[in-house]
Amino acid sequence: MAAYIVRRLALMIPTLLGIMLLSFAIVQFAPGGPVEKVIGELRGMSAGATDRISGGSASGDFANNAVSSEGSDSGYRGAQGLDPEFIAELEAQFGFDKPVHERFLLMIGNYLTFDFGESYFRDRTVIDLIVEKLPVSISLGLWMTLISYAISIPLGIRKAVKDGSTFDIWTSGIIIVAYAIPGFLFAILLIVLFAGGSFFNIFPLSGLTSDNWDQLSLVGKVLDYFWHLTLPLLALSLSAFATLTLLTKNSFLEEIRKQYVLTAKMKGLGESRVLYGHVFRNAMLIIIAGFPGAFIGAFFTGSLLIETIFNLDGLGLLGFEAIINRDYPIVFGTLYIFSLMALLVNLLTDITYTLVDPRIDFESREV
């Protein structure tokens, strides 16, 4: 197993490099960019926007001199009438005065030491922004995944054992309805019902903690934390709960119908011993395989709409705003971190395979 882990870790390097290279290349061909964003604001004669985006270092005279009667041959759309020297300084400020390959190599070199630079428009380092937003994303992703697995696996096993019964039919109907309801729509329904909409005002509508968090006892802090998370977690877990339950049921049904299960029953083994001693180990492999995708999806992109609806400032919202604003250090920094996390979690999944079923031997196979 040790040799397999070493090979997988070595393979992560070209994989991560390929992900970053492809993403970097796509961005080069995408219309718009930070320079174009500044030009657009300057064309609107927004001196305040000029001072903000220049990091507060540009003087008022410099901002006024940015608009010139001379035409600009910079090639940027909308740059006509702006001082070419100002355009050149903008390019240097954002690092676009260097060749494409040099910018990519410089970025990768910095990322190897987890130096993600500073945000173009927030005047803060990318790592500080990620650390600030991390508690929200960890709370949503981790608890949603744990709750979904804790409910879906026992329910899916029960449905497989009672396949075709009244219990199976009714729960399947509920699951299908739950799967069909979009998470964001269910979130709005929860707000209307329980967060001061048209009915009850039981749960808070924003943040992870109350204003008096520091004054609460330890038990009070725990209760306050989960009080704020209740509605977002319900909205996030709806579709994941439905999908995982049906996946668990189908996986167990496939194993229950195999010949080795019939043989075990003929030998006089009890249903519980057959189910948890033989079927569980094989059926759980596909469930474990879906864990990385479920966790990473909930941890980042899956929580974007929920973060917006419940006013939770997490990594999903940070990444979305960075893409809209062409804040490339945040875009590539979060992409690098989550790609690395996904690769590591997939490796952890393979290791978990061997713990669930020791018959699986990764040493004897190629990566």
Side-chain angles (χ1 to χ4, degrees):
M1 190 64 184
Y4 174 78
I5 294 176
V6 171
R7 293 200 305 269
R8 283 291 299 270
L9 290 174
L11 186 61
M12 287 181 188
I13 298 175
T15 303
L16 191 59
L17 183 63
I19 293 173
M20 298 304 299
L21 178 60
L22 180 61
S23 302
F24 188 85
I26 292 175
V27 166
Q28 306 312 306
F29 294 100
V35 175
E36 286 86 344
K37 178 178 173 61
V38 176
I39 290 174
E41 295 190 4
L42 284 174
R43 296 300 296 176
M45 300 302 295
S46 176
T50 305
D51 292 339
R52 174 176 61 83
I53 294 179
S54 298
S57 60
S59 65
D61 292 339
F62 179 76
N64 292 330
N65 292 335
V67 181
S68 169
S69 60
E70 300 178 357
S72 173
D73 57 355
S74 65
Y76 289 105
R77 182 179 300 178
Q80 290 77 9
L82 296 180
D83 188 349
E85 294 183 0
F86 176 75
I87 299 297
E89 184 167 336
L90 275 180
E91 291 179 334
Q93 179 178 335
F94 293 123
F96 293 137
D97 57 330
K98 301 180 179 64
V100 174
H101 68 278
E102 185 177 338
R103 285 191 280 124
F104 177 75
L105 293 176
L106 180 62
M107 180 184 74
I108 293 298
N110 291 332
Y111 282 12
L112 291 176
T113 59
F114 291 92
D115 178 10
F116 302 109
E118 290 192 3
S119 165
Y120 286 158
F121 306 116
R122 292 175 181 256
D123 197 26
R124 294 183 60 187
T125 63
V126 174
I127 196 66
D128 285 344
L129 287 170
I130 291 176
V131 170
E132 179 184 323
K133 315 298 183 183
L134 206 55
V136 172
S137 296
I138 289 179
S139 297
L140 292 176
L142 179 61
W143 288 114
M144 190 278 284
T145 305
L146 293 177
I147 291 173
S148 298
Y149 271 69
I151 296 176
S152 299
I153 292 177
L155 180 58
I157 295 174
R158 185 67 176 173
K159 285 176 62 63
V161 173
K162 299 292 185 180
D163 183 43
S165 66
T166 303
F167 171 81
D168 180 45
I169 294 173
W170 278 102
T171 53
S172 294
I174 295 174
I175 288 171
I176 291 173
V177 172
Y179 183 77
I181 299 175
F184 73 91
L185 187 61
F186 186 58
I188 295 174
L189 176 63
L190 291 174
I191 291 175
V192 171
L193 293 177
F194 304 111
S198 302
F199 295 90
F200 305 102
N201 188 11
I202 301 175
F203 296 97
L205 191 55
S206 63
L208 285 181
T209 58
S210 300
D211 294 335
N212 62 337
W213 166 265
D214 294 332
Q215 302 172 5
L216 298 175
S217 63
L218 178 60
V219 175
K221 289 181 178 180
V222 172
L223 293 177
D224 182 75
Y225 171 73
F226 284 106
W227 182 48
H228 283 76
L229 277 178
T230 299
L231 296 188
L233 287 179
L234 284 175
L236 269 177
S237 302
L238 187 66
S239 59
F241 152 79
T243 304
L244 187 57
T245 300
L246 293 178
L247 178 63
T248 304
K249 176 192 173 181
N250 293 334
S251 178
F252 273 80
L253 272 181
E254 183 180 355
E255 291 296 323
I256 288 173
R257 293 167 178 170
K258 289 184 177 179
Q259 184 62 43
Y260 76 89
V261 176
L262 298 176
T263 302
K265 289 181 178 180
M266 291 176 62
K267 290 182 177 180
L269 296 179
E271 181 178 341
S272 296
R273 185 174 178 183
V274 172
L275 185 62
Y276 295 102
H278 296 77
V279 175
F280 185 84
R281 181 176 59 184
N282 297 324
M284 281 300 294
L285 291 177
I286 191 172
I287 311 301
I288 295 173
F291 179 81
F295 180 74
I296 296 298
F299 195 72
F300 186 49
T301 56
S303 62
L304 171 59
L305 290 176
I306 303 301
E307 288 180 9
T308 303
I309 292 172
F310 289 101
N311 297 316
L312 297 172
D313 194 7
L315 288 175
L317 189 59
L318 174 68
F320 175 76
E321 291 178 346
I323 293 173
I324 296 299
N325 295 323
R326 301 297 194 268
D327 201 338
Y328 294 149
I330 295 179
V331 173
F332 290 123
T334 53
L335 175 65
Y336 180 87
I337 290 176
F338 280 96
S339 297
L340 181 60
M341 284 178 56
L343 293 171
L344 291 174
V345 170
N346 276 304
L347 175 58
L348 181 61
T349 300
D350 287 347
I351 297 174
T352 309
Y353 271 141
T354 62
L355 299 177
V356 175
D357 190 350
R359 295 173 299 175
I360 297 178
D361 182 15
F362 288 107
E363 292 282 4
S364 59
R365 56 174 286 193
E366 297 294 330
V367 177

